[in-house]
Amino acid sequence: MIEVIQLTKRYRTHRAVEGLSFRVNPGEVYALLGPNGAGKTTTLRVLATLVKPTAGTARVAGFDVGEAPLAVRQRLGLVNGGMRVYDRLTGREVLAFFAGFYGLQGQAFRQALDWVTGLLQMEEALDKKVMEMSTGMRQKVVIARAILHRPPVLLLDEATAGLDIFARRALLDFVKAYRDLGNTLVYSTHVMTEAEEVADRVGFLHQGRLVYEGTKTEALALGQGSLERAFIQAVKEAA
Amino acid sequence: MKGIYRILWKELVQVFRDRKLVFSTLVLPVFLMPVFMFGPSLLLNRLMQGAAEKRQEVAVAGLPEEALSALRQANLAPVAVEDPEGAVREGKYPAGVLYQEGVYRVYARLSGGLTEGQVVAGRVQSALQALKEAKVAEVLARRGMPVEVLQPFRVEVQNASPERERAGGLLGFLLPFFLVVFVLSGGQVVAVDATAGEKEKGTLEALLMAPVPLWQIALGKTLATVVMALLSGVAGLLGLALGGALAARYGGGILTETGQVLDLGGRVVLDGASFVALFLSASLLALFMGAVMVGLGLYARSYKEAQSYLAPLQLVALLPLLFLQFRGFLELETWHHLLPLFNVALLMDALLKGTATPAQAALAWGSTLVYAALALGFSVRVFAREEVVFRN
């Protein structure tokens, strides 16, 4: 579960996020939607304990991001569109490297590897060096790295950026499958059609503020069947 | 603590799978060092020997027969010309001699580095000097005086350095110098790749997501830098040793700008304890500089920016070593052994000469360890600064 409480993040004079509050329940995909610069990445980085909030707080899987960052990271996975893995290692070596930080070694690692390769259908990626992989296959390794320890919370930030149609489809299917395992997901994107497919609830972020929150059905009703129109309507009403 | 080992392993695998990088950092120095250090002197020796043995033509004017004869005896071929200076200036002859009003003027093109003219001028000068001494001896003999009257006593300067110091020779300065150069250049490869390189390639965020404290990440990367720095240092020293062996076999040394060939001393005798102390000194130096490089590398947005920070660092690090040349003029005081980098260079120099004391070693190691800890603290602080980590 994720709880964000009056979260504010400022970079010098720039207010990236201001007074943001929302909650995501287990078994739910929460789509955080907004244009570039809306504050989506900053929000997810705070949740991932990579940046510290200026004010407010957030709790991930029961742990405060400021007080227990290592405990949060143990229970969290993060995938973003710009994330890469080590190009001179094979897929298996990359996963073994990261698995070790979660105590997954020997038999435990092999079991985790079997599970993740089955889920993402990435057997052929295991013994190839990352530099020799296609973009889609690399992204599968990035996702596998993030979920190998089966985190109950998964954050995806513009995760389909740069992916071809097949890889994008595989990722969207994966998001739904991982949600169905009872996990908590935040899916951040500016591509509204992706959110229409995977989201259970949506939050519209504009200039660092949450201007709308509701179920996908409610948001689609607001936008007459389109999340894009709903977003524009919500921004106008908030102005 | 396993996190440190994992990161160290990952960094080293990444580096060692880059064949070009391994070749340029670890293999090339072994072969380039002998070429750079001893190649020029070996080549010069051959050229000088050739110039000395060859029957050279010398432009002459106004020389008496006895001088011409002296030149011929010195395997030179005097050729009469009107203007020896002009002939030499035009490059027609390597040297020339003009005799006028009791003065022999020897001409050669002496500027612009070592030339064949300098060698021939030297031979002319030696031949005329021998002629002069023979004439003086003849005059003295006619007057019934022994030739020894010209040399009532002799002055001899003897090298009183201890045997190990004498054996170390110039290596006492060169070894620390090259060790620092190679430690810095080898460490830089990993430091940049593990920091700015990770940022640029987009892999850093995934690593920072791992449940491992920042200090372990910083230390893992620093230790990888240390390993590569030491390997690079060993490669450089192997190159130096290979060059020394070649120089000992074929003759050679370090060539100076005046064309002198400096004897390197040729052998470095180290007992086991001194060898361990030398290795420990190099390791602590690598730890210190590695932590600095990791911190600076992470501060940079990109490879290019990191290299622009680390290039001046190399110059700054080498500056204290240049002062090592003047150690003979210094009366060493305690604080000298606390100066970063200079203290390690002084200790290495002393270890090679067999003059190091336990107190000196303790001061140098202790202070370098403190500097390394401070530098590591700096790296961790840089890792903790989100505006630095995410500013690319």
Side-chain angles (χ1 to χ4, degrees):
Chain A
M1 186 165 63
I2 296 172
E3 281 179 284
V4 178
I5 306 150
Q6 286 299 307
L7 182 73
T8 295
K9 178 64 186 177
R10 294 193 190 99
Y11 294 106
R12 293 186 184 157
T13 56
H14 172 64
R15 280 190 292 192
V17 176
E18 187 73 23
L20 183 65
S21 296
F22 66 88
R23 179 189 172 103
V24 189
N25 297 312
E28 188 174 65
V29 176
Y30 186 93
L32 200 56
L33 306 174
N36 294 334
K40 305 187 297 292
T41 298
T42 299
T43 303
L44 295 199
R45 279 180 176 167
V46 171
L47 292 176
T49 74
L50 293 172
V51 299
K52 292 186 178 70
T54 310
T57 190
R59 293 177 71 79
V60 174
F63 292 93
D64 188 284
V65 292
E67 289 169 7
L70 292 184
V72 170
R73 280 183 232 159
Q74 280 280 4
R75 292 155 180 84
L76 185 91
L78 171 69
V79 177
N80 72 36
M83 202 174 257
R84 300 284 180 272
V85 286
Y86 307 109
D87 54 4
R88 289 198 163 78
L89 303 189
T90 64
R92 190 188 305 275
E93 287 170 336
V94 167
L95 297 178
F97 170 66
F98 284 104
F101 292 121
Y102 300 95
L104 296 173
Q105 285 169 308
Q107 183 63 20
F109 170 64
R110 282 190 289 277
Q111 283 176 354
L113 194 64
D114 288 344
W115 170 73
V116 82
T117 47
L119 187 68
L120 295 171
Q121 297 180 339
M122 53 175 288
E123 286 82 0
E124 59 177 322
L126 293 182
D127 296 315
K128 263 190 181 174
K129 282 185 186 164
V130 172
M131 58 167 49
E132 295 160 357
M133 293 178 189
S134 66
T135 310
M137 203 184 284
R138 274 183 215 175
Q139 187 69 348
K140 282 186 178 180
V141 178
V142 170
I143 296 167
R145 174 209 60 78
I147 63 166
L148 194 68
H149 57 297
R150 300 198 190 198
V153 177
L154 182 62
L155 312 176
L156 297 109
D157 183 18
E158 303 287 3
T160 55
L163 293 188
D164 62 32
I165 190 166
F166 298 105
R168 183 176 157 279
R169 168 50 40 209
L171 189 131
L172 293 175
D173 289 344
F174 159 74
V175 168
K176 287 183 278 187
Y178 203 66
R179 183 258 326 266
D180 292 343
L181 292 172
N183 297 304
T184 308
L185 285 88
V186 177
Y187 190 91
S188 157
T189 182
H190 68 281
V191 184
M192 304 292 176
T193 51
E194 287 179 6
E196 283 172 15
E197 180 172 344
V198 299
D200 296 304
R201 287 197 303 129
V202 298
F204 293 158
L205 207 54
H206 181 62
Q207 295 180 343
R209 291 175 185 275
L210 194 66
V211 295
Y212 176 85
E213 189 180 32
T215 63
K216 183 171 70 178
T217 313
E218 289 165 351
L220 285 170
L222 177 69
Q224 295 165 323
S226 156
L227 282 184
E228 194 171 285
R229 276 199 293 271
F231 181 83
I232 293 166
Q233 178 70 23
V235 168
K236 277 182 186 167
E237 285 175 9
Chain B
M1 297 299 272
K2 280 183 181 171
I4 299 170
Y5 168 75
R6 303 194 76 78
I7 290 163
L8 169 67
W9 171 85
K10 186 269 290 179
E11 299 297 352
L12 292 179
V13 170
Q14 282 272 99
V15 167
F16 279 99
R17 286 195 181 159
D18 188 339
R19 285 181 194 168
K20 286 178 195 164
L21 195 147
V22 169
F23 179 76
S24 64
T25 311
L26 300 182
V27 179
L28 208 54
V30 177
F31 299 104
L32 275 187
M33 280 295 287
V35 174
F36 274 109
M37 290 191 63
F38 304 102
S41 70
L42 286 171
L43 179 65
L44 182 74
N45 277 350
R46 296 282 161 95
L47 292 173
M48 298 266 277
Q49 205 176 352
E53 288 169 0
K54 190 174 161 188
R55 187 173 172 80
Q56 300 274 7
E57 288 190 332
V58 179
V60 297
L63 262 64
E65 184 51 39
E66 60 182 3
L68 293 172
S69 173
L71 292 179
R72 286 188 198 103
Q73 279 179 14
N75 201 24
L76 295 165
V79 179
V81 298
E82 270 187 28
D83 175 15
E85 186 182 0
V88 170
R89 192 175 292 138
E90 289 167 18
K92 290 178 181 168
Y93 298 93
V97 194
L98 171 68
Y99 182 66
Q100 230 172 16
E101 298 167 359
V103 177
Y104 285 96
R105 287 199 174 79
V106 181
Y107 299 102
R109 289 167 74 161
L110 302 175
S111 304
L114 197 62
T115 62
E116 190 180 34
Q118 287 181 25
V119 178
V120 179
R123 289 172 63 190
V124 169
Q125 202 175 359
S126 299
L128 294 175
Q129 181 68 26
L131 174 64
K132 185 171 126 182
E133 284 169 8
K135 291 191 77 167
V136 169
E138 189 186 319
V139 171
L140 289 174
R142 272 207 304 269
R143 294 187 182 178
M145 295 168 74
V147 75
E148 287 76 17
V149 74
L150 292 175
Q151 199 175 11
F153 59 84
R154 291 196 305 166
V155 177
E156 285 182 358
V157 177
Q158 295 289 326
N159 186 357
S161 294
E163 191 185 346
R164 195 158 144 186
E165 186 174 300
R166 220 180 299 173
L170 195 61
L171 280 176
F173 165 69
L174 286 178
L175 265 181
F177 185 84
F178 281 114
L179 198 57
V180 171
V181 167
F182 282 104
V183 159
L184 286 173
S185 59
Q188 183 178 329
V189 170
V190 180
V192 174
D193 192 60
T195 54
E198 281 227 38
K199 265 186 183 180
E200 201 166 293
K201 291 176 198 163
T203 56
L204 187 61
E205 203 167 343
L207 180 61
L208 293 176
M209 273 303 299
V212 56
L214 286 177
W215 69 267
Q216 291 193 13
I217 297 178
L219 189 56
K221 287 176 180 289
T222 301
L223 288 178
T225 304
V226 170
V227 170
M228 197 63 182
L230 288 177
L231 287 174
S232 172
V234 168
L237 295 186
L238 273 177
L240 198 64
L242 182 63
L246 289 173
R249 179 162 183 166
Y250 299 107
I254 302 295
L255 186 63
T256 69
E257 59 178 3
T258 58
Q260 278 183 300
V261 177
L262 294 177
D263 183 13
L264 285 178
R267 62 199 172 94
V268 174
V269 184
L270 279 179
D271 53 51
S274 300
F275 183 81
V276 170
L278 198 66
F279 182 75
L280 185 60
S281 305
S283 303
L284 287 173
L285 175 80
L287 184 65
F288 171 35
M289 295 313 297
V292 172
M293 288 192 282
V294 165
L296 286 177
L298 191 69
Y299 191 79
R301 286 184 179 87
S302 62
Y303 257 98
K304 272 187 184 173
E305 193 177 317
Q307 278 164 344
S308 74
Y309 291 154
L310 296 184
L313 177 73
Q314 292 222 7
L315 293 178
V316 170
L318 288 176
L319 194 62
L321 295 175
L322 295 178
F323 289 102
L324 194 64
Q325 295 175 89
F326 314 126
R327 66 202 183 284
F329 294 95
L330 285 175
E331 191 167 331
L332 290 177
E333 294 177 31
T334 305
W335 65 272
H336 287 127
H337 301 299
L338 299 173
L339 288 174
L341 299 170
F342 189 60
N343 55 357
V344 176
L346 274 178
L347 179 59
M348 286 180 175
D349 181 46
L351 286 167
L352 289 167
K353 290 176 177 168
T355 58
T357 62
Q360 180 186 3
L363 281 173
W365 291 340
S367 57
T368 303
L369 203 57
V370 170
Y371 297 136
L374 290 173
L376 200 63
F378 162 71
S379 295
V380 174
R381 280 182 69 88
V382 174
F383 264 98
R385 288 178 62 186
E386 57 200 47
E387 72 274 21
V388 172
V389 171
F390 294 111
R391 73 182 184 143
N392 65 331

